[in-house]
Amino acid sequence: MGLNKKSVDDIHVAGKRVLVRCDFNVPLKAGEITDETRIKAALPTIQKLINDGGKVILCSHLGKVKNGPNEGESLAPVAKRLSEKLGKEVVFVADYNVTGEAATKAVEAMKEGDVVLLQNTRFRGAEETKNGEAFSKELADLADVYVCDAFGSSHRAHASVAGVTKCISAKGGENAVGYLMQKEIDFLGNAVENPVRPFVAILGGAKVADKLNVISNLLEKCDTLIIGGGMAYTFLKAKGYEIGKSLVDDSKIDYCKEMIAKADSLGKKLLLPVDSVTVAEFPNPIDAKIETTVCAVEDMPADREGCDIGPKTAEMYADAVKSAKTVVWNGPMGVFENPTLAAGTIAVAKALAETDATTIIGGGDSAAAVNQLGFGDKMSHISTGGGASLEFLEGKELPGVVAADDK
């Protein structure tokens, strides 16, 4: 995977129109932004382009937009918050067509250092289909240069992520990545392609099916692979253990056997739980008080369900992290939303916080867990993309990364 991409530090934007694909997919409640992490993350790139005299045109999707454009998924609240953060007006183009006459006029009126935000790109519908070709061209017509800073969308070959770059290139423009994208490439890309060893990968979460290719790819790259979370029980069943009422994917038992054999043949350590925190019934609601019993994996009763790694496993996993130089973690060790069942996830997060290794959290639930548990600032990098970071760990080429010009 080509990781040496042009960044905002390699392009000259003074007087040029710069289209920036951001990730402003923020949570909204009654029109108010409840978490502005993604807006804050976009500021360094935007500020750099303003300071360099670019005419900065921002675009992003928000929400899933199932039933066509609606005010509930408009980017208007983002424009308001961005204006406050940047200390200058961000002109919002409310047109549901995104790139129509209102957008053209707003861009024509721009001076150096001005900022315009286009409406939700998903309002155009089917960004990834044939409709996307016309949309790609219209987006490119607004700009001279394109910058992708939306890692969370970079695994989708959408008009505003990949399609637009072809049209920019066709008219002699440049395509670069922003600071956020650059950071993801530097940490996630290099962790998988050129890790400082020993390299330890930790995979958790509920389902083996979600991580099939990640497990296989990481086994080839890492020195030690640690498995936790619900997916561990499919591995334990593959080894012949009783797993009671624990989560299992019976269709993936043979796959788990193959991965155990693969680790063996490659001389890699594959660590599985040696004990488990079990419950009689899954907590309902998820954060309800609950009675637990710790069982060794060889003594799991048929009527209990494993919901977290046990203390011996937590200690073993923490020890494996201590000697590492690079650690990638994707997926919690148990039902971390429940305080009683969060101990395993906390132990792993604590081990990562205390190590000198480069620690990379691969987005999604593990990012939420690390932040929720108060360890966020102790990590080298927390990825902003769930699906995108998983595909990076699979070794897949991401359309949004591939589309940027090489240095």
Side-chain angles (χ1 to χ4, degrees):
M1 193 189 294
L3 301 177
N4 198 20
K5 296 294 178 180
K6 263 187 195 170
S7 85
V8 284
D9 289 330
D10 302 312
I11 56 175
H12 300 286
V13 300
K16 292 181 182 173
R17 301 167 302 162
V18 189
L19 179 69
V20 188
R21 175 55 158 98
C22 298
D23 184 1
F24 292 144
N25 188 19
V26 294
L28 290 173
K29 199 171 185 180
E32 291 295 317
I33 297 165
T34 57
D35 180 351
E36 59 182 33
T37 307
R38 286 180 167 161
I39 293 174
K40 279 188 191 155
L43 294 175
T45 295
I46 297 168
Q47 199 63 65
K48 159 79 174 162
L49 296 168
I50 291 170
N51 295 347
D52 287 357
K55 299 172 181 179
V56 185
I57 307 148
L58 308 173
C59 67
S60 173
H61 79 284
L62 194 160
K64 298 258 193 281
V65 191
K66 289 269 192 283
N67 305 309
N70 65 87
E71 274 309 293
E73 289 168 309
S74 165
L75 282 171
V78 173
K80 183 168 170 272
R81 188 66 58 89
L82 264 176
S83 299
E84 292 163 11
K85 297 269 178 211
L86 292 168
K88 67 184 300 164
E89 188 197 0
V90 172
V91 175
F92 180 57
V93 180
D95 181 6
Y96 284 2
N97 188 47
V98 188
T99 51
E101 196 182 338
T104 308
K105 281 185 172 163
V107 170
E108 277 171 2
M110 292 178 87
K111 296 183 176 62
E112 291 189 8
D114 282 357
V115 184
V116 163
L117 174 63
L118 303 178
Q119 185 53 283
N120 189 341
T121 56
R122 297 269 166 95
F123 282 6
R124 273 294 284 264
E127 250 206 281
E128 70 284 7
T129 63
K130 278 283 182 203
N131 298 355
E133 288 177 23
F135 188 28
S136 297
K137 186 177 182 313
E138 287 165 37
L139 283 167
D141 285 347
L142 294 173
D144 307 301
V145 179
Y146 172 78
V147 173
C148 186
D149 211 21
F151 181 71
S153 301
S154 66
H155 59 312
R156 306 193 186 285
H158 287 180
S160 64
V161 174
V164 62
T165 62
K166 296 185 183 109
C167 304
I168 291 281
S169 295
K171 60 181 192 175
E174 293 180 287
N175 299 292
V177 296
Y179 288 132
L180 243 189
M181 281 282 283
Q182 186 62 55
K183 202 174 172 212
E184 297 279 6
I185 292 168
D186 288 348
F187 277 99
L188 268 176
N190 287 321
V192 176
E193 296 304 322
N194 320 298
V196 180
R197 298 189 180 278
F199 171 26
V200 175
I202 306 168
L203 293 177
K207 301 190 191 100
V208 174
D210 294 345
K211 309 254 165 79
L212 291 179
N213 298 332
V214 182
I215 295 166
S216 187
N217 189 48
L218 284 179
L219 266 181
E220 288 167 23
K221 312 279 186 179
C222 71
D223 301 296
T224 300
L225 179 62
I226 292 173
I227 305 280
M231 61 193 272
Y233 298 100
T234 304
F235 274 91
L236 290 170
K237 188 168 181 181
K239 290 194 79 169
Y241 290 112
E242 167 67 59
I243 58 162
K245 297 192 293 183
S246 307
L247 198 63
V248 66
D249 184 344
D250 284 316
S251 69
K252 297 291 178 281
I253 299 273
D254 286 343
Y255 173 82
C256 290
K257 286 179 180 170
E258 276 170 40
M259 290 303 107
I260 292 164
K262 180 172 180 171
D264 215 27
S265 69
L266 292 172
K268 305 295 174 83
K269 271 190 196 161
L270 176 63
L271 299 183
L272 295 172
V274 293
D275 59 351
S276 181
V277 177
T278 69
V279 298
E281 294 293 336
F282 195 83
N284 183 17
I286 201 159
D287 58 355
K289 279 195 167 175
I290 193 148
E291 295 285 322
T292 64
T293 308
V294 175
C295 305
V297 291
E298 57 269 25
D299 300 326
M300 171 89 78
D303 61 349
R304 307 278 298 175
E305 178 176 354
C307 283
D308 190 18
I309 57 172
K312 283 184 180 161
T313 305
E315 197 178 321
M316 176 173 79
Y317 289 2
D319 278 347
V321 166
K322 277 176 192 161
S323 59
K325 287 282 184 283
T326 306
V327 186
V328 171
W329 179 20
N330 186 292
M333 296 292 101
V335 186
F336 76 98
E337 301 90 340
N338 186 301
T340 314
L341 302 170
T345 302
I346 292 170
V348 169
K350 195 164 175 292
L352 263 67
E354 289 169 358
T355 179
D356 294 331
T358 298
T359 49
I360 300 154
I361 311 303
D365 280 348
S366 20
V370 165
N371 285 325
Q372 219 172 294
L373 300 168
F375 292 107
D377 59 343
K378 302 279 197 306
M379 304 300 158
S380 309
H381 178 62
I382 298 179
S383 179
T384 53
S389 56
L390 265 184
E391 291 198 12
F392 228 156
L393 295 177
E394 278 181 39
K396 278 189 181 172
E397 294 203 321
L398 307 188
V401 176
V402 173
D405 299 342
D406 292 327
K407 277 192 187 179

